[in-house]
Amino acid sequence: MHSEHVEVKMRMGVMNTPGELRGEVTPLIFQSASRRSVPTEAEALFNPTRAEEQAEIVDGLRGQVKALQTKVELVRAEARTEGRTEANASFAASLEQERASIAVACARFAADRERYFTEVEGEVVRLALAIAARVLHREARMDPLLLAASVRVALEKIAGQPGAILRVPAQSETAWRSLFTGNATVEVVAGEDLQDGDLVLESPVGRVELGIPVQLEEIEKGFFDLLQKRPS
């Protein structure tokens, strides 16, 4: 066919009334396949230009996704680094606080220990002296002349000075008189208010107690003086 359109007319009969036909002509138009200007759906779908554009769009989207993934990884790495830094700083602060608390506790413990041993040492000294006092008083009852050596030492210090008086418990007066029989430097006198282990030496130069309680007090004082001078 040389023409673009081929028109074919077909007469079709339409019955208006029974027994009567009225003829009408309906044109049929056929278009040549070689002259179609509108692409088909398949051609539109597989258009090379459009496919290239879509491929470029897909590549661009892939690049953006990859860039976003890289950025996300960087943000995650920075977050992890920042988290570790904050955790290390928090741990260091907590550790320093715990060290300070431990140092305070150790110092407090050392002070408590020092005070405890000081108190215990004092109690030990008092207990030892109390035991010694009981033992010495018992020995003094069994041996009234237990302190004779202390009396002789004291008399030697005031030798040549007459008028010394040794006051002793009444129950041990006889024993002390027999000890100093013939000694004109000292006079033995019974003291009604003196107990076993009590002795008092009076002389022109002064008065001194030589009994067990006084000597134990001196020993106790010496012990506590040593404790105070003990290096910490």
Side-chain angles (χ1 to χ4, degrees):
M1 296 181 182
H2 298 285
S3 61
E4 294 182 359
H5 296 84
V6 177
E7 183 175 343
V8 178
K9 294 183 179 180
M10 179 180 293
R11 184 178 298 273
M12 298 180 64
V14 180
M15 183 179 291
N16 293 328
T17 58
E20 182 180 355
L21 293 175
R22 188 182 64 180
E24 291 184 358
V25 178
T26 302
L28 297 178
I29 301 173
F30 296 91
Q31 185 177 3
S32 175
S34 61
R35 295 295 184 177
R36 288 181 298 182
S37 60
V38 180
T40 63
E41 183 178 358
E43 291 176 347
L45 291 176
F46 295 100
N47 189 336
T49 303
R50 187 174 181 181
E52 291 178 359
E53 293 177 353
Q54 291 177 350
E56 292 178 357
I57 294 173
V58 170
D59 292 339
L61 292 175
R62 287 177 179 174
Q64 293 179 4
V65 169
K66 187 175 181 180
L68 289 175
Q69 290 177 344
T70 303
K71 189 174 182 180
V72 168
E73 291 299 327
L74 290 175
V75 171
R76 287 178 177 175
E78 292 177 357
R80 286 193 294 267
T81 302
E82 185 177 356
R84 283 194 296 267
T85 302
E86 292 179 356
N88 291 335
S90 178
F91 175 76
S94 300
L95 182 61
E96 188 65 25
Q97 185 177 2
E98 291 298 327
R99 286 177 176 173
S101 300
I102 292 174
V104 171
C106 290
R108 187 178 302 169
F109 174 77
D112 292 341
R113 183 186 62 180
E114 184 68 21
R115 183 173 60 255
Y116 170 76
F117 281 114
T118 300
E119 294 175 355
V120 168
E121 287 174 347
E123 294 297 328
V124 170
V125 170
R126 293 187 183 93
L127 179 61
L129 292 175
I131 295 173
R134 295 186 63 178
V135 172
L136 290 175
H137 279 97
R138 184 180 63 183
E139 293 294 329
R141 285 194 299 269
M142 297 176 62
D143 183 8
L145 303 180
L146 180 65
L147 299 176
S150 298
V151 174
R152 288 193 178 95
V153 171
L155 290 175
E156 289 176 358
K157 292 181 179 180
I158 60 172
Q161 297 183 10
I165 299 175
L166 178 63
R167 299 187 182 277
V168 299
Q171 59 270 25
S172 60
E173 179 184 3
T174 303
W176 283 103
R177 284 184 182 277
S178 62
L179 179 63
F180 291 103
T181 300
N183 190 339
T185 60
V186 61
E187 178 184 0
V188 177
V189 178
E192 299 297 334
D193 57 342
L194 298 180
Q195 303 295 325
D196 291 332
D198 293 340
L199 290 175
V200 178
L201 179 62
E202 297 177 353
S203 68
V205 296
R207 181 177 184 273
V208 59
E209 295 184 5
L210 302 174
I212 294 174
V214 175
Q215 295 190 32
L216 290 176
E217 288 178 2
E218 292 296 327
I219 294 173
E220 181 179 5
K221 182 180 179 181
F223 270 123
F224 283 107
D225 288 342
L226 290 176
L227 290 178
Q228 291 179 357
K229 295 178 181 179
R230 180 175 56 85
S232 56

